[in-house]
Amino acid sequence: MSIVRVLARPMLASSFILAGLDRLRHADATVAQLSPVLRPLSAALPVNASEKTLARVIAGTQVGAGVLLAAGKFARPAAVVLAITAGLSTVVEYRSADTTTKESRAQRRNQLTKNIGLIGGALLASVDTAGRPGLAWRTEKFIESGKKTASAQLKNADKSVRALAHDVTGH
């Protein structure tokens, strides 16, 4: 693993981990902030889950995915989870931000651009194969290998059948 990945993954993950921990500590504020999303989600679930429980689950998921990304374990799926949770938070924060003053609008814009940057970093991490071939490449090479093997086996079978036919007919 390159030194850039060793440093960059924990750096990127730290923001998500700290935000998730803050949301866990202040679950009531998280519910108030994310209620436009949590309310319909809670109603749609087949189990009885309060908005506060869902807020904690989202925050805990963010912390867990951040730790996995920082450690480089299951980094790609963890980065996808972080991008989704950050996108959810960004939409809700942007919609509910104060826009009454010029300063509050500037703060809203700055927060939006910061969040978009974090989502972009998480999306880049989600496609980073760390120099190893990705699943699509591996699948393509596996199929090519299978085709070559099948072709070679057909040629060998053809030779065997021709040899057997030659032996039977005596020609």
Side-chain angles (χ1 to χ4, degrees), residues 12-26:
L12 177 62
S14 66
S15 178
F16 293 106
I17 294 168
L18 292 175
L21 289 172
D22 188 52
R23 287 195 170 141
L24 278 173
R25 277 190 229 122
H26 304 101

Side-chain angles (χ1 to χ4, degrees), residues 27 30-32 34-36 38-40 42 49-56:
T30 302
V31 169
L34 297 179
S35 67
L38 296 176
R39 189 172 299 118
S42 178
S50 69
E51 290 178 29
K52 191 170 187 174
T53 301
L54 290 175
R56 286 180 176 152

Side-chain angles (χ1 to χ4, degrees), residues 97-111:
D98 178 29
T99 58
T100 56
T101 66
K102 185 176 181 179
E103 292 80 23
S104 63
R105 287 190 298 276
Q107 183 178 358
R108 176 185 181 204
R109 184 184 61 246
N110 290 339
Q111 187 67 27

